[in-house]
Amino acid sequence: MKKFKKIYVEITNICNLSCHFCPKSKRKLEYMKLDSFGKILREIKPFTDYIYLHVKGEPLLHPQLEEFLDLAYVYGFKVNITTNGSFIKGTGDKLLTKPALRQINFSLHSFGENPENIHKNNYLRDILFFSKKTLEKTDIIISLRLWNFNKKIKDETQKGNNEILQILEKEFKLDYKISDILNPGRGVKISDKLYLNSDYQFKWPDKDDIYEDATGFCYGMRTHTAILVDGTVVPCCLDGEGSINLGNIFNDSFNNIINSNRSKAIYSGFSEKTAVEKLCKKCQFKI
């Protein structure tokens, strides 16, 4: 069994939307080059079979996404894509031809954040049309995400979510109300290869945040790690600014980076349920 269950690879940190729950990247905005992606794939191949095109940015914006997926297939990777879905109408048919693609996660909570950029009915229509077509013609898994539940403010968020749930019930001819069985933090299987996942909003950790707690556990450096668009290796996909820079995969081997003293300290610390890095102490996503 390989060391990591998955590795996140950020092929761009550019996004077309401005969601309050996902701060814009403060790093240089760029698209990863194809040869850089190939370098990453060669380095991480001994350590995982699954890559997730996600940290910051919108992967469907990348002009060479098709070539990236083809290259991932050559190296034997299974690919998961997380997208806001706003470009699926133009890119969907191309994605369906890519054998490396294992799963697509649609962040449905994005549309409510950007009313000026997304028309709700068209947005959902395009995603559901693509999802149905995908389920009929491929083995690709579809995950529809509503990660916007709020423990304190429920009414307005729930109203918007209920509209989406009602549309899903109608489109997939469900004989039950999803809201009756939906619990944030747990998924609902709507049909074969189609899932609805809900959760509470989470706050991206910020090293300058007032909140701090050194206790807790994280799977970073244990089941996963992440590589940013410039090659910076970080412990997990929530280090969206590269605060915990473990090294650069374009300058050093991935093996050396994940076996460095700093990487091992993160792993050992969480084994004792202790966060050793400042950003990890600020993270409220620890368990």
Side-chain angles (χ1 to χ4, degrees):
M1 183 176 294
K2 295 185 177 180
K3 179 176 177 63
F4 294 113
K5 182 178 178 181
K6 57 192 173 185
I7 294 178
Y8 294 89
V9 181
E10 180 190 72
I11 62 173
T12 182
N13 59 341
I14 301 170
C15 187
N16 61 309
L17 300 184
S18 298
C19 302
H20 86 278
F21 56 80
C22 185
K24 285 282 189 180
S25 177
K26 300 174 184 176
R27 295 175 280 124
K28 175 186 175 183
L29 299 179
E30 57 185 310
Y31 294 107
M32 184 178 288
K33 295 180 179 179
L34 186 62
D35 59 348
S36 298
F37 186 62
K39 160 74 171 172
I40 290 173
L41 297 183
R42 291 190 292 274
E43 286 286 333
I44 68 175
K45 183 56 185 173
F47 302 95
T48 192
D49 291 320
Y50 297 89
I51 56 175
Y52 284 50
L53 303 187
H54 175 59
V55 177
K56 288 289 185 73
E58 170 51 53
L60 298 193
L61 272 176
H62 201 294
Q64 291 182 289
L65 179 58
E66 290 182 76
E67 295 170 73
F68 276 49
L69 291 172
D70 289 339
L71 192 58
Y73 181 69
V74 169
Y75 282 99
F77 286 98
K78 292 294 184 181
V79 181
N80 285 27
I81 291 178
T82 297
T83 172
N84 60 46
S86 57
F87 291 102
I88 198 62
K89 184 176 181 178
T91 60
D93 287 343
K94 300 172 184 177
L95 293 178
L96 295 184
T97 67
K98 303 303 176 183
L101 190 55
R102 172 185 175 270
Q103 179 170 325
I104 303 179
N105 307 312
F106 288 103
S107 299
L108 297 186
H109 43 274
S110 299
F111 86 85
E113 295 287 323
N114 299 269
E116 71 282 2
N117 293 331
I118 296 180
H119 188 279
K120 180 176 65 174
N121 293 333
N122 292 343
Y123 172 76
L124 289 174
R125 180 199 64 201
D126 292 343
I127 289 176
L128 294 181
F129 178 82
F130 171 80
S131 297
K132 286 183 174 182
K133 189 174 182 179
T134 301
L135 296 172
E136 291 173 1
K137 297 188 174 184
T138 75
D139 291 324
I140 296 171
I141 299 167
I142 299 292
S143 172
L144 307 174
R145 292 179 171 182
L146 283 174
W147 288 8
N148 62 345
F149 285 81
N150 192 310
K151 295 179 181 179
K152 297 180 180 179
I153 306 173
K154 298 181 179 180
D155 292 343
E156 202 58 39
T157 298
Q158 194 58 46
K159 179 181 178 181
N161 286 348
N162 282 337
E163 291 179 7
I164 294 176
L165 298 183
Q166 290 168 10
I167 292 173
L168 293 177
E169 291 161 3
K170 180 180 179 180
E171 287 292 324
F172 294 99
K173 298 180 173 58
L174 303 183
D175 59 0
Y176 60 90
K177 287 188 173 297
I178 299 175
S179 58
D180 290 341
I181 59 174
L182 191 67
N183 290 309
R186 299 183 64 182
V188 173
K189 184 175 182 179
I190 295 178
S191 66
D192 185 36
K193 299 174 294 182
L194 176 64
Y195 300 86
L196 174 66
N197 290 292
S198 64
D199 212 334
Y200 292 105
Q201 293 178 5
F202 71 87
K203 187 177 184 299
W204 284 77
D206 187 329
K207 58 181 173 41
D208 297 322
D209 214 343
I210 297 175
Y211 171 88
E212 184 170 313
D213 185 358
T215 61
F217 176 79
C218 176
Y219 287 100
M221 300 307 300
R222 191 173 302 265
T223 64
H224 64 273
T225 185
I227 303 168
L228 303 182
V229 67
D230 66 353
T232 300
V233 179
V234 294
C236 79
C237 64
L238 291 184
D239 187 357
E241 293 304 321
S243 298
I244 308 175
N245 186 340
L246 301 175
N248 193 293
I249 199 168
F250 301 141
N251 301 326
D252 197 0
S253 74
F254 186 66
N255 183 63
N256 286 344
I257 293 170
I258 63 172
N259 285 296
S260 68
N261 290 336
R262 190 177 186 183
S263 296
K264 290 180 177 179
I266 294 170
Y267 184 102
S268 299
F270 282 127
S271 294
E272 301 296 326
K273 297 196 174 177
T274 300
V276 299
E277 292 283 348
K278 182 177 180 179
L279 186 72
C280 299
K281 294 175 183 178
K282 301 290 185 178
C283 183
Q284 301 181 44
F285 206 65
K286 300 191 298 294
I287 57 177

